[in-house]
Amino acid sequence: MSEDHEPPPESKLTRSKERWAREGKFLTGKITRPEDERLPPGQHLTRDWPVLDLGFLPNISRERWRLDVYGAVENPLFWDFAQLLAQKQSQFVSDIHCVTTWSRYDNQWEGLSTSDLLAACRPRDEARFVMLHSSDGYTTNLAFEDFAADTALLAHSWSGKPLEAEHGGPVRLVVPHLYFWKSAKWLKAIEFLGDDAPGYWEVRGYHNRGDPWSEQRYSDD
Ligand SMILES: Nc1nc2c(c(=O)[nH]1)N[C@H]1C(S)=C(S)[C@@H](COP(=O)(O)O)O[C@H]1N2
Ligand SMILES: [Mo]
């Protein structure tokens, strides 16, 4: 089991984001369907790729990187980067939607699809939720089905190049159908759980699921 690091002290941005959750900032109240619209309600398109995190940049080489897969699984994994690369590789192109309202189209990812990871670790029936643990102390939770989504992957490359450290390299999760805070950077552990538990933003006013098409930005309570 991997040791848990405390997240860094709350930055100005973290405190602003907590305030936005309390105020319901950016909410449009509109619902759009992905079949009709490519840009979810309240989002705007950006061509650059903003960096968003807790302000602490873990410095992990591919050599030192490890992935711990544990909890309600038949076959716990502890992989190094070479073992990740030895698995079947997938390439997906997907859009990013950050809850702070920027979206970025056509990101080319390469890595291990979550469905292939699931085939390797074989979750037990009671595994209904997934907690992602990151090297900066960040956590985020997903329902099993959201983790297992078709185009979700553990990405090590973007646009054909190694994923940059500031964007979560060596390896980050990408769950394209949810707001981007669910896509944990600097992924170090995946924990399968019978009961749901909130992660870093989910305890700070952000929605438990985070579907951008129905603007699940903030929690209701
Ligand atoms: N480990 C970790 N993962 C994280 C975060 C973080 O602070 N730490 N921030 C999340 C948020 S709020 C967003 S919008 C995206 C930003 O990813 P990017 O910096 O590559 O754009 O990462 C998500 N994953
Ligand atoms: Mo975000």
Side-chain angles (χ1 to χ4, degrees), residues 13 17 52-53 97-102 138 179-182 201 206:
L13 177 63
K17 288 174 80 172
L52 254 97
D53 52 50
H97 306 298
C98 170
V99 72
T100 63
T101 75
W102 59 269
Y138 185 82
Y179 283 124
F180 210 34
W181 89 78
K182 294 291 186 178
W201 285 118
Y206 284 76

Side-chain angles (χ1 to χ4, degrees), residues 68-199:
D68 196 355
V69 180
Y70 66 98
V73 290
E74 297 295 346
N75 189 34
L77 306 171
F78 190 71
W79 279 348
D80 61 17
F81 195 81
Q83 285 168 294
L84 180 80
L85 276 192
Q87 313 301 311
K88 183 185 143 203
Q89 301 292 298
S90 295
Q91 295 182 338
F92 298 124
V93 176
S94 60
D95 298 345
I96 294 172
H97 306 298
C98 170
V99 72
T100 63
T101 75
W102 59 269
S103 292
R104 190 183 188 287
Y105 289 163
D106 292 325
N107 297 277
Q108 289 179 51
W109 307 105
E110 183 176 349
L112 174 66
S113 73
T114 55
S115 50
D116 288 325
L117 176 91
L118 292 170
C121 69
R122 290 184 280 116
R124 295 201 295 262
D125 287 346
E126 67 259 32
R128 306 275 317 285
F129 300 94
V130 183
M131 183 68 87
L132 291 318
H133 299 267
S134 298
S135 299
D136 59 345
Y138 185 82
T139 53
T140 189
N141 57 310
L142 291 165
F144 184 91
E145 296 71 32
D146 284 322
F147 177 81
D150 274 356
T151 56
L153 80 165
L154 280 59
H156 55 67
S157 295
W158 177 85
S159 281
K161 292 186 292 275
L163 183 65
E164 286 180 59
E166 61 180 4
H167 288 300
V171 178
R172 79 177 298 160
L173 188 72
V174 176
V175 181
H177 70 291
L178 299 177
Y179 283 124
F180 210 34
W181 89 78
K182 294 291 186 178
S183 294
K185 311 202 301 193
W186 313 295
L187 187 61
K188 69 165 189 181
I190 304 174
E191 180 183 10
F192 289 85
L193 296 164
D195 296 311
D196 200 9

